[in-house]
Amino acid sequence: MRDRPIDLDLRKVRYFVAVAERRHFGQAAVALHVTQPALSRQVRQLEHELRVELFTRSTREVALTPAGEQFLHDAKALLAASEAAQERARRIGAGSDALVVGFMLGTDVGPALNAFSGRFPHVSVELVRLRWWSQARTLLDGGVDVGFVRPPLETDGVDLLPLYTERLSAVLPAGHPRARDGEVALADLAGERVLEYAEASEAWSAIWNADPRPDGTRPDHGPAFHDMEELLGYVRGGRGIAFVPGSAAAAFPRSDIAYVPVTGVPPGQVALAWPTRRRSPVVSGFVETARAAVAGRHPA
């Protein structure tokens, strides 16, 4: 017989996350403006309610157990969803229409935003940057209402509308033998170490890192990067090359970096995504407007 689910106290969950992120009860207590004994009691109560140890404690350090690692991942999502739900309720209660639009670096959001504002001038729009490792989670947690995403992403609970594709470019140091070429074949980069998109899924890496290659071989893996600044630093330092969409390359011109279009790889896709269960009239209006606006700039 399964145990009945407990009613989680979000305050205790928030306390747990504070300790887990700092690995230190004293520092977490200061950040939360509570005493350390009170914080320890709350976390112990949470462990008792969950019937599992979340931390291993010693005189020197605090570490997460495997159960604690998993609960930290889920707790962050739970707190984000709670905050988003509260914000949506406040907006509706105040009688205001608002839309939070997510975007990946380089995605063509301008025409859609301008067209939407023309049709729905009473709706305020907020932009939120999306990351490749958390696109679906941000949508499902309520961090954004609709987003310009780069598939692949986990689609359970998320609807996708493909918008357009764009060619990938290799990011090379300016002194690379192929840096001045008009384009470069993927096969000509076979011996290059490829930088990794940090925390990316296997499906993401398969497309955006061309891994594995069409012939089944796999490139040597370089360091992992979290943003374009890290990527460019590694490329300049000779730690590897990378593949990025052409629009992202255009956003970061550098005299010591070359962006060379690659042949032999499928193009990257940009799509519009929104949570299936939260398609409001405002979201529907944005989807319809964005589809028409983007189609005019990126014909099929």
Side-chain angles (χ1 to χ4, degrees):
M1 183 176 179
R2 296 179 60 183
D3 292 338
R4 295 179 60 184
I6 64 172
D7 293 326
L8 280 176
D9 183 340
L10 290 184
R11 181 183 60 176
K12 294 175 184 174
V13 174
R14 195 171 291 109
Y15 283 4
F16 160 76
V17 170
V19 176
E21 290 181 335
R22 293 166 178 82
R23 301 296 201 273
H24 196 283
F25 276 87
Q27 294 176 9
V30 171
L32 293 167
H33 304 290
V34 299
T35 65
Q36 184 171 332
L39 176 59
S40 297
R41 283 196 300 272
Q42 292 292 315
V43 173
R44 282 291 190 190
Q45 288 176 16
L46 178 62
E47 290 178 312
H48 177 72
E49 292 167 1
L50 294 173
R51 300 182 184 178
V52 67
E53 285 193 354
L54 301 173
F55 296 106
T56 57
R57 300 160 172 86
S58 70
T59 56
R60 289 190 172 186
E61 64 178 3
V62 175
L64 286 166
T65 64
E69 291 280 3
Q70 180 61 52
F71 191 67
L72 176 60
H73 173 80
D74 295 334
K76 287 181 176 180
L78 175 65
L79 293 175
S82 173
E83 292 172 4
Q86 294 175 54
E87 178 58 29
R88 286 194 297 272
R90 282 192 289 266
R91 291 200 315 245
I92 293 173
S96 61
D97 288 328
L99 185 71
V100 182
V101 178
F103 69 98
M104 289 283 285
L105 178 67
T107 49
D108 194 9
V109 302
L113 295 178
N114 292 334
F116 179 77
S117 295
R119 285 187 58 191
F120 302 89
H122 62 286
V123 178
S124 63
V125 177
E126 176 186 351
L127 288 175
V128 172
R129 173 82 175 274
L130 297 176
R131 306 290 182 169
W132 59 81
W133 62 83
S134 60
Q135 298 177 93
R137 186 167 69 247
T138 304
L139 285 159
L140 293 172
D141 289 349
V144 300
D145 299 311
V146 61
F148 289 81
V149 301
R150 296 189 188 277
L153 72 163
E154 298 175 5
T155 54
D156 289 345
V158 175
D159 286 340
L160 281 176
L161 172 67
L163 294 176
Y164 61 92
T165 60
E166 55 181 325
R167 196 172 181 183
L168 268 61
S169 291
V171 188
L172 309 173
H176 192 280
R178 308 307 299 269
R180 296 184 180 276
D181 292 357
E183 61 182 23
V184 60
L186 179 63
D188 293 333
L189 300 173
E192 299 286 350
R193 178 179 294 177
V194 177
L195 302 175
E196 295 289 301
Y197 284 86
E199 302 179 58
S201 66
E202 288 187 12
W204 176 276
S205 294
I207 290 181
W208 296 94
N209 280 343
D211 182 13
R213 300 294 166 79
D215 62 2
T217 61
R218 307 196 68 173
D220 291 336
H221 294 175
F225 63 90
H226 292 82
D227 53 38
M228 281 293 289
E229 287 81 2
E230 287 185 5
L231 183 160
L232 296 175
Y234 283 131
V235 172
R236 284 196 297 264
R239 302 292 301 280
I241 68 169
F243 301 105
V244 300
S247 58
F252 287 84
R254 297 287 191 277
S255 61
D256 53 357
I257 293 290
Y259 300 101
V260 185
V262 182
T263 62
V265 294
Q269 187 181 78
V270 173
L272 206 59
W274 60 93
T276 303
R277 295 183 178 181
R278 291 204 305 272
R279 180 163 177 168
S280 65
V282 172
V283 170
S284 294
F286 186 84
V287 171
E288 295 166 4
T289 304
R291 182 188 350 224
V294 174
R297 289 172 57 90
H298 302 273

